[in-house]
Each structure stands twice: as structure tokens, then as C-alpha cells.
Amino acid sequence: MAAPIDFYFDFSSPPGYFASLKIDELAARHGRSVNWRPILLGAIFKVTGQAPLPGIPLKGAYVQRDWVRFGRLLGVNFTLPAQFPFLSVASSRAFYWLHGRDPQLARNFARAVYHAAFADAKDTVPAEAVAGIAERLGVARAETLAALNDAGVKDKLRQEVDAAIARGVFGSPYIIVDNEPFWGADRLDQVERWLATGGW
Amino acid sequence: MAAPIDFYFDFSSPPGYFASLKIDELAARHGRSVNWRPILLGAIFKVTGQAPLPGIPLKGAYVQRDWVRFGRLLGVNFTLPAQFPFLSVASSRAFYWLHGRDPQLARNFARAVYHAAFADAKDTVPAEAVAGIAERLGVARAETLAALNDAGVKDKLRQEVDAAIARGVFGSPYIIVDNEPFWGADRLDQVERWLATGGW
């Protein structure tokens, strides 16, 4: 089987959410699996000097319209939560902690976090909210809350974000296929074509 | 016939160049004509606080790779000129001046400027270069050079850029179909679908 593709995303990124709904099936059509890798755009923007989209004059209004339109086109539920942009540190820490126990559980958790944030427009920022999502997947609430404060768990996320930056990741979603990078939910067609053809 | 669509672009924008090669045929397939409207991203970025892409850490390297790959996918010639980003003030002024004389001539001029910059990787910044492009379309060199220093011509471009900003234009290409805005050469398929269906 060919190498997995890397799927970098921020839990607070609508295009990352859109891609999360498509990427596994897309990869499977070409015999590939997917490494899901949450990142923190806030940390990355300190390197690139970028700012969260909603606050950018003109562009901020446009992208929010574009996301809603893109979601309708994809046929997926999409609503921004009341607080946006929001912090995705707790859900990202929980993801890597769960990944160490069970990669499939971590992926289910990631899907549940994205669904809560952008289909149900719920607040996924507090540790209690993240622990509640994990609890519905069978993880004891107290264990998740403890993990979110664990120094090793915090370090793991930092290392993952640093490694992503070292690979050039600057946005969400950012998908790497055999060292070829694609940025944006609007590059999924190109990802699929790259997988099908080996490049052009 | 339905209303024309508005095609805003910067002469120094590779995605604007890509869109310029597709937009007229795309619109014609749906019984539409296209208003070509050069803008100046430099002036717009003063409003939005954005910066030219090539200088942005990580993202700058990615987008240059993405443009080359996108051009290959579209099957068009694409090479960045040695000086990039570059100023598009003179070509934009010349466009609106020519448009006042003959809109079709202005469009042919725009195509020739884009071709010079991104297919032939030539320098299109100096007034002499712009006058040379117009000359090959039958416009006397001295007339173009005089127009480029005309206060009325300068004002016209300023007014067009201000009007674009007032409509929310923040990037290139930026295409408006019946008040629905689409940003990016990677939104052309959505533009086409919007024209075909009236929206979704």
C-alpha cells in the first residue's frame, strides 16, 4: 500500500472541517490512508505574520460568505459558532493524547469536535466541552481533564505544531501527498487528481 | 441578454492571468459578456492590511509552487518575470484610457499585457514597455506615453480602484455575477455553476 497522506487542520477552521468530511473517502478511492494532524493556526500565524481571516477588512466578510456557500455546494451542515474565531488548543491536545491510545478513537473524536463546532455551532473551547465530547466516545471525563493539564500532552502538541511549521504548513487544511503540498478545501479536486495520476 | 459579469484583476496577479484566459469563454457559454476591470492590489492592501504573497513566510513559497502547478493543470504557459511582484500602474492606466476609445481594443491590450508578463516573463512595468505593447495593437507610442501622464487618466484609475474597494474587492481575480462575489482562479468552476444554475 502506498504511503498515507498527511491531513493538517485546525479545529477552528471551516475549510478544515469541510476537508475532514471528504478526505478519508477521497484517499481510500486511491488506496491511501490519512494521517490526521491537528495544528494551531495561532502559533503558525506568529511565524507567518498572518491574522485570523474574519478580522481582515473586506476579505473577512467575503470568506464568511464563501464558507456558507461552499458548505451548501458540498451538501454539508455548516453554521459558525457564536464565538469565532476560537481557540482549539484543548481539542488538539486531547486529539494527540487519544491518538497515543487508539488512532481510530482519535479520528472519531476529531470528527465529533468538528461536528460540534460547525454543524451544531457549539462551544468546543473549554476543557469541559472537550471532555464531554470524548465522554460520548467512551472516555472517562476525569481522564480527559487530567490529560489536558498533563505536561507531556502539552509538549506533544507543541512538537507536532513545530514539525508542521518545519514542513511548511501555514494554513488549514494543508494536505501533503508524497511530498506535494495542497492548501485549502478548494484543492481537494487537485489532491484527487494527483492521487489518480501521480502528478501533472 | 443578462447583465455582464464583472472581472476585477491586477495585471501583476498570476491567478488574475489564469482567469483572464478562461473568463470570456466561460461567460459566453451562459450568454454573458464580461467587464474587464484592472485594479491595484497595492492600493487595496493599504485598506485590508494585507501584503504581497511572495514575501509571506511559508505561504510565499507555497503559492509560487501552486501557481506553476495550476498553470500546468490549465495547460497554459506560465513563467514569473524576474521582477515579481511588480507595479501594474502604467498598464492599468493605459487600459482605462484605451477603454474610453474602444473597449475591444482595451481587452486585447489587457490580454497582451498579461501574455507579456506571465507567458513571456517580460518586464511590463515601465511606460515604454506598456507603450510598446499598445503600439503592436496599432496605437501610436507617443499617444500612449502622453496618456500615461495625463491627470484625467490617473484620476480614472483611482476612481475605478476606489469603486472596486467600495464593492468589497480585496483580491485578484474577483468576479461578481449578479451581485454574487467569487475570489480566486480556483472559484471559476463555482462561477460557471452559478451562471448555469442561478445559485445554490
Side-chain angles (χ1 to χ4, degrees), chain A residues 144-168:
Chain A
T144 305
L145 290 173
L148 291 176
N149 278 314
D150 182 89
V153 171
K154 293 179 181 180
D155 278 348
K156 171 67 174 165
L157 177 58
R158 262 193 295 270
Q159 289 161 12
E160 288 285 342
V161 173
D162 287 347
I165 291 169
R167 290 190 81 186

PDB file of all heavy atoms in Angstrom, chain A residues 144-168:
ATOM      1  N   THR A 144      -9.801  12.667  30.621  1.00  0.00           N
ATOM      2  CA  THR A 144      -9.539  13.713  29.617  1.00  0.00           C
ATOM      3  C   THR A 144      -9.115  15.011  30.295  1.00  0.00           C
ATOM      4  O   THR A 144      -8.146  15.662  29.878  1.00  0.00           O
ATOM      5  CB  THR A 144     -10.781  13.962  28.750  1.00  0.00           C
ATOM      6  OG1 THR A 144     -11.205  12.733  28.172  1.00  0.00           O
ATOM      7  CG2 THR A 144     -10.487  14.964  27.648  1.00  0.00           C
ATOM      8  N   LEU A 145      -9.833  15.381  31.350  1.00  0.00           N
ATOM      9  CA  LEU A 145      -9.492  16.634  32.041  1.00  0.00           C
ATOM     10  C   LEU A 145      -8.071  16.584  32.592  1.00  0.00           C
ATOM     11  O   LEU A 145      -7.341  17.582  32.536  1.00  0.00           O
ATOM     12  CB  LEU A 145     -10.504  16.909  33.157  1.00  0.00           C
ATOM     13  CG  LEU A 145     -11.910  17.281  32.651  1.00  0.00           C
ATOM     14  CD1 LEU A 145     -12.895  17.374  33.821  1.00  0.00           C
ATOM     15  CD2 LEU A 145     -11.897  18.590  31.857  1.00  0.00           C
ATOM     16  N   ALA A 146      -7.676  15.436  33.085  1.00  0.00           N
ATOM     17  CA  ALA A 146      -6.301  15.298  33.595  1.00  0.00           C
ATOM     18  C   ALA A 146      -5.287  15.399  32.455  1.00  0.00           C
ATOM     19  O   ALA A 146      -4.255  16.076  32.567  1.00  0.00           O
ATOM     20  CB  ALA A 146      -6.144  13.971  34.337  1.00  0.00           C
ATOM     21  N   ALA A 147      -5.616  14.733  31.344  1.00  0.00           N
ATOM     22  CA  ALA A 147      -4.686  14.744  30.210  1.00  0.00           C
ATOM     23  C   ALA A 147      -4.474  16.167  29.685  1.00  0.00           C
ATOM     24  O   ALA A 147      -3.367  16.539  29.284  1.00  0.00           O
ATOM     25  CB  ALA A 147      -5.222  13.845  29.095  1.00  0.00           C
ATOM     26  N   LEU A 148      -5.543  16.966  29.691  1.00  0.00           N
ATOM     27  CA  LEU A 148      -5.426  18.325  29.149  1.00  0.00           C
ATOM     28  C   LEU A 148      -4.457  19.186  29.952  1.00  0.00           C
ATOM     29  O   LEU A 148      -3.965  20.195  29.459  1.00  0.00           O
ATOM     30  CB  LEU A 148      -6.802  18.990  29.087  1.00  0.00           C
ATOM     31  CG  LEU A 148      -7.748  18.393  28.038  1.00  0.00           C
ATOM     32  CD1 LEU A 148      -9.120  19.045  28.105  1.00  0.00           C
ATOM     33  CD2 LEU A 148      -7.161  18.569  26.637  1.00  0.00           C
ATOM     34  N   ASN A 149      -4.186  18.778  31.184  1.00  0.00           N
ATOM     35  CA  ASN A 149      -3.241  19.528  32.004  1.00  0.00           C
ATOM     36  C   ASN A 149      -1.898  18.838  32.134  1.00  0.00           C
ATOM     37  O   ASN A 149      -1.031  19.295  32.880  1.00  0.00           O
ATOM     38  CB  ASN A 149      -3.836  19.743  33.404  1.00  0.00           C
ATOM     39  CG  ASN A 149      -4.775  20.929  33.405  1.00  0.00           C
ATOM     40  OD1 ASN A 149      -4.451  21.991  32.871  1.00  0.00           O
ATOM     41  ND2 ASN A 149      -5.955  20.744  33.975  1.00  0.00           N
ATOM     42  N   ASP A 150      -1.733  17.759  31.398  1.00  0.00           N
ATOM     43  CA  ASP A 150      -0.502  16.981  31.507  1.00  0.00           C
ATOM     44  C   ASP A 150       0.614  17.633  30.685  1.00  0.00           C
ATOM     45  O   ASP A 150       0.423  17.978  29.510  1.00  0.00           O
ATOM     46  CB  ASP A 150      -0.773  15.563  30.983  1.00  0.00           C
ATOM     47  CG  ASP A 150       0.440  14.669  31.116  1.00  0.00           C
ATOM     48  OD1 ASP A 150       0.579  14.032  32.179  1.00  0.00           O
ATOM     49  OD2 ASP A 150       1.246  14.621  30.166  1.00  0.00           O
ATOM     50  N   ALA A 151       1.773  17.780  31.307  1.00  0.00           N
ATOM     51  CA  ALA A 151       2.881  18.461  30.624  1.00  0.00           C
ATOM     52  C   ALA A 151       3.314  17.716  29.368  1.00  0.00           C
ATOM     53  O   ALA A 151       3.661  18.328  28.352  1.00  0.00           O
ATOM     54  CB  ALA A 151       4.067  18.625  31.578  1.00  0.00           C
ATOM     55  N   GLY A 152       3.295  16.395  29.432  1.00  0.00           N
ATOM     56  CA  GLY A 152       3.686  15.607  28.268  1.00  0.00           C
ATOM     57  C   GLY A 152       2.720  15.800  27.109  1.00  0.00           C
ATOM     58  O   GLY A 152       3.138  15.859  25.943  1.00  0.00           O
ATOM     59  N   VAL A 153       1.431  15.895  27.418  1.00  0.00           N
ATOM     60  CA  VAL A 153       0.424  16.116  26.380  1.00  0.00           C
ATOM     61  C   VAL A 153       0.615  17.503  25.740  1.00  0.00           C
ATOM     62  O   VAL A 153       0.558  17.662  24.524  1.00  0.00           O
ATOM     63  CB  VAL A 153      -1.003  15.963  26.969  1.00  0.00           C
ATOM     64  CG1 VAL A 153      -2.050  16.400  25.964  1.00  0.00           C
ATOM     65  CG2 VAL A 153      -1.230  14.520  27.404  1.00  0.00           C
ATOM     66  N   LYS A 154       0.868  18.476  26.585  1.00  0.00           N
ATOM     67  CA  LYS A 154       1.114  19.841  26.068  1.00  0.00           C
ATOM     68  C   LYS A 154       2.343  19.858  25.160  1.00  0.00           C
ATOM     69  O   LYS A 154       2.343  20.491  24.105  1.00  0.00           O
ATOM     70  CB  LYS A 154       1.290  20.819  27.232  1.00  0.00           C
ATOM     71  CG  LYS A 154       0.027  21.026  28.061  1.00  0.00           C
ATOM     72  CD  LYS A 154       0.296  21.998  29.227  1.00  0.00           C
ATOM     73  CE  LYS A 154      -0.971  22.171  30.074  1.00  0.00           C
ATOM     74  NZ  LYS A 154      -0.759  23.090  31.205  1.00  0.00           N
ATOM     75  N   ASP A 155       3.393  19.162  25.616  1.00  0.00           N
ATOM     76  CA  ASP A 155       4.621  19.106  24.807  1.00  0.00           C
ATOM     77  C   ASP A 155       4.368  18.436  23.460  1.00  0.00           C
ATOM     78  O   ASP A 155       4.909  18.863  22.438  1.00  0.00           O
ATOM     79  CB  ASP A 155       5.711  18.308  25.544  1.00  0.00           C
ATOM     80  CG  ASP A 155       6.443  19.153  26.565  1.00  0.00           C
ATOM     81  OD1 ASP A 155       6.255  20.395  26.532  1.00  0.00           O
ATOM     82  OD2 ASP A 155       7.176  18.583  27.394  1.00  0.00           O
ATOM     83  N   LYS A 156       3.575  17.370  23.485  1.00  0.00           N
ATOM     84  CA  LYS A 156       3.308  16.639  22.243  1.00  0.00           C
ATOM     85  C   LYS A 156       2.675  17.573  21.201  1.00  0.00           C
ATOM     86  O   LYS A 156       3.090  17.589  20.028  1.00  0.00           O
ATOM     87  CB  LYS A 156       2.377  15.458  22.545  1.00  0.00           C
ATOM     88  CG  LYS A 156       1.826  14.735  21.338  1.00  0.00           C
ATOM     89  CD  LYS A 156       2.895  14.002  20.538  1.00  0.00           C
ATOM     90  CE  LYS A 156       2.262  13.184  19.424  1.00  0.00           C
ATOM     91  NZ  LYS A 156       3.275  12.753  18.438  1.00  0.00           N
ATOM     92  N   LEU A 157       1.707  18.361  21.617  1.00  0.00           N
ATOM     93  CA  LEU A 157       1.062  19.281  20.665  1.00  0.00           C
ATOM     94  C   LEU A 157       2.062  20.312  20.150  1.00  0.00           C
ATOM     95  O   LEU A 157       2.125  20.597  18.954  1.00  0.00           O
ATOM     96  CB  LEU A 157      -0.144  19.968  21.315  1.00  0.00           C
ATOM     97  CG  LEU A 157      -0.842  21.014  20.437  1.00  0.00           C
ATOM     98  CD1 LEU A 157      -1.342  20.412  19.117  1.00  0.00           C
ATOM     99  CD2 LEU A 157      -2.006  21.659  21.197  1.00  0.00           C
ATOM    100  N   ARG A 158       2.858  20.844  21.071  1.00  0.00           N
ATOM    101  CA  ARG A 158       3.874  21.819  20.632  1.00  0.00           C
ATOM    102  C   ARG A 158       4.809  21.206  19.598  1.00  0.00           C
ATOM    103  O   ARG A 158       5.149  21.834  18.586  1.00  0.00           O
ATOM    104  CB  ARG A 158       4.684  22.313  21.837  1.00  0.00           C
ATOM    105  CG  ARG A 158       4.212  23.654  22.402  1.00  0.00           C
ATOM    106  CD  ARG A 158       5.250  24.229  23.382  1.00  0.00           C
ATOM    107  NE  ARG A 158       5.415  23.398  24.565  1.00  0.00           N
ATOM    108  CZ  ARG A 158       4.694  23.546  25.681  1.00  0.00           C
ATOM    109  NH1 ARG A 158       3.786  24.497  25.763  1.00  0.00           N
ATOM    110  NH2 ARG A 158       4.890  22.749  26.712  1.00  0.00           N
ATOM    111  N   GLN A 159       5.233  19.978  19.863  1.00  0.00           N
ATOM    112  CA  GLN A 159       6.146  19.311  18.917  1.00  0.00           C
ATOM    113  C   GLN A 159       5.479  19.100  17.559  1.00  0.00           C
ATOM    114  O   GLN A 159       6.119  19.259  16.513  1.00  0.00           O
ATOM    115  CB  GLN A 159       6.587  17.954  19.479  1.00  0.00           C
ATOM    116  CG  GLN A 159       7.545  18.063  20.660  1.00  0.00           C
ATOM    117  CD  GLN A 159       7.589  16.771  21.483  1.00  0.00           C
ATOM    118  OE1 GLN A 159       7.089  15.732  21.049  1.00  0.00           O
ATOM    119  NE2 GLN A 159       8.183  16.846  22.666  1.00  0.00           N
ATOM    120  N   GLU A 160       4.216  18.722  17.590  1.00  0.00           N
ATOM    121  CA  GLU A 160       3.502  18.496  16.322  1.00  0.00           C
ATOM    122  C   GLU A 160       3.378  19.798  15.527  1.00  0.00           C
ATOM    123  O   GLU A 160       3.545  19.808  14.311  1.00  0.00           O
ATOM    124  CB  GLU A 160       2.115  17.899  16.590  1.00  0.00           C
ATOM    125  CG  GLU A 160       2.141  16.453  17.062  1.00  0.00           C
ATOM    126  CD  GLU A 160       2.448  15.471  15.922  1.00  0.00           C
ATOM    127  OE1 GLU A 160       2.301  15.843  14.740  1.00  0.00           O
ATOM    128  OE2 GLU A 160       2.851  14.321  16.221  1.00  0.00           O
ATOM    129  N   VAL A 161       3.064  20.875  16.219  1.00  0.00           N
ATOM    130  CA  VAL A 161       2.925  22.163  15.523  1.00  0.00           C
ATOM    131  C   VAL A 161       4.284  22.610  14.979  1.00  0.00           C
ATOM    132  O   VAL A 161       4.378  23.072  13.828  1.00  0.00           O
ATOM    133  CB  VAL A 161       2.306  23.229  16.453  1.00  0.00           C
ATOM    134  CG1 VAL A 161       2.328  24.597  15.787  1.00  0.00           C
ATOM    135  CG2 VAL A 161       0.884  22.837  16.837  1.00  0.00           C
ATOM    136  N   ASP A 162       5.322  22.461  15.789  1.00  0.00           N
ATOM    137  CA  ASP A 162       6.662  22.835  15.312  1.00  0.00           C
ATOM    138  C   ASP A 162       7.059  21.998  14.092  1.00  0.00           C
ATOM    139  O   ASP A 162       7.639  22.519  13.129  1.00  0.00           O
ATOM    140  CB  ASP A 162       7.702  22.642  16.422  1.00  0.00           C
ATOM    141  CG  ASP A 162       7.594  23.700  17.505  1.00  0.00           C
ATOM    142  OD1 ASP A 162       6.890  24.708  17.287  1.00  0.00           O
ATOM    143  OD2 ASP A 162       8.193  23.513  18.585  1.00  0.00           O
ATOM    144  N   ALA A 163       6.745  20.708  14.133  1.00  0.00           N
ATOM    145  CA  ALA A 163       7.094  19.838  12.999  1.00  0.00           C
ATOM    146  C   ALA A 163       6.296  20.232  11.759  1.00  0.00           C
ATOM    147  O   ALA A 163       6.820  20.187  10.633  1.00  0.00           O
ATOM    148  CB  ALA A 163       6.827  18.383  13.370  1.00  0.00           C
ATOM    149  N   ALA A 164       5.048  20.626  11.955  1.00  0.00           N
ATOM    150  CA  ALA A 164       4.232  21.061  10.816  1.00  0.00           C
ATOM    151  C   ALA A 164       4.841  22.312  10.186  1.00  0.00           C
ATOM    152  O   ALA A 164       4.973  22.422   8.962  1.00  0.00           O
ATOM    153  CB  ALA A 164       2.793  21.326  11.271  1.00  0.00           C
ATOM    154  N   ILE A 165       5.218  23.273  11.027  1.00  0.00           N
ATOM    155  CA  ILE A 165       5.824  24.507  10.518  1.00  0.00           C
ATOM    156  C   ILE A 165       7.102  24.172   9.745  1.00  0.00           C
ATOM    157  O   ILE A 165       7.365  24.732   8.675  1.00  0.00           O
ATOM    158  CB  ILE A 165       6.100  25.487  11.678  1.00  0.00           C
ATOM    159  CG1 ILE A 165       4.768  26.000  12.248  1.00  0.00           C
ATOM    160  CG2 ILE A 165       6.983  26.645  11.220  1.00  0.00           C
ATOM    161  CD1 ILE A 165       4.903  26.765  13.554  1.00  0.00           C
ATOM    162  N   ALA A 166       7.872  23.239  10.288  1.00  0.00           N
ATOM    163  CA  ALA A 166       9.118  22.842   9.613  1.00  0.00           C
ATOM    164  C   ALA A 166       8.853  22.224   8.240  1.00  0.00           C
ATOM    165  O   ALA A 166       9.707  22.287   7.353  1.00  0.00           O
ATOM    166  CB  ALA A 166       9.892  21.853  10.491  1.00  0.00           C
ATOM    167  N   ARG A 167       7.656  21.670   8.062  1.00  0.00           N
ATOM    168  CA  ARG A 167       7.291  21.120   6.745  1.00  0.00           C
ATOM    169  C   ARG A 167       6.628  22.160   5.854  1.00  0.00           C
ATOM    170  O   ARG A 167       6.213  21.836   4.729  1.00  0.00           O
ATOM    171  CB  ARG A 167       6.328  19.932   6.904  1.00  0.00           C
ATOM    172  CG  ARG A 167       6.973  18.707   7.489  1.00  0.00           C
ATOM    173  CD  ARG A 167       6.040  17.511   7.398  1.00  0.00           C
ATOM    174  NE  ARG A 167       6.048  16.890   6.076  1.00  0.00           N
ATOM    175  CZ  ARG A 167       5.222  15.899   5.704  1.00  0.00           C
ATOM    176  NH1 ARG A 167       4.308  15.454   6.560  1.00  0.00           N
ATOM    177  NH2 ARG A 167       5.283  15.379   4.497  1.00  0.00           N
ATOM    178  N   GLY A 168       6.439  23.384   6.360  1.00  0.00           N
ATOM    179  CA  GLY A 168       5.875  24.439   5.535  1.00  0.00           C
ATOM    180  C   GLY A 168       4.388  24.667   5.718  1.00  0.00           C
ATOM    181  O   GLY A 168       3.797  25.486   5.005  1.00  0.00           O
TER     182      GLY A 168
END
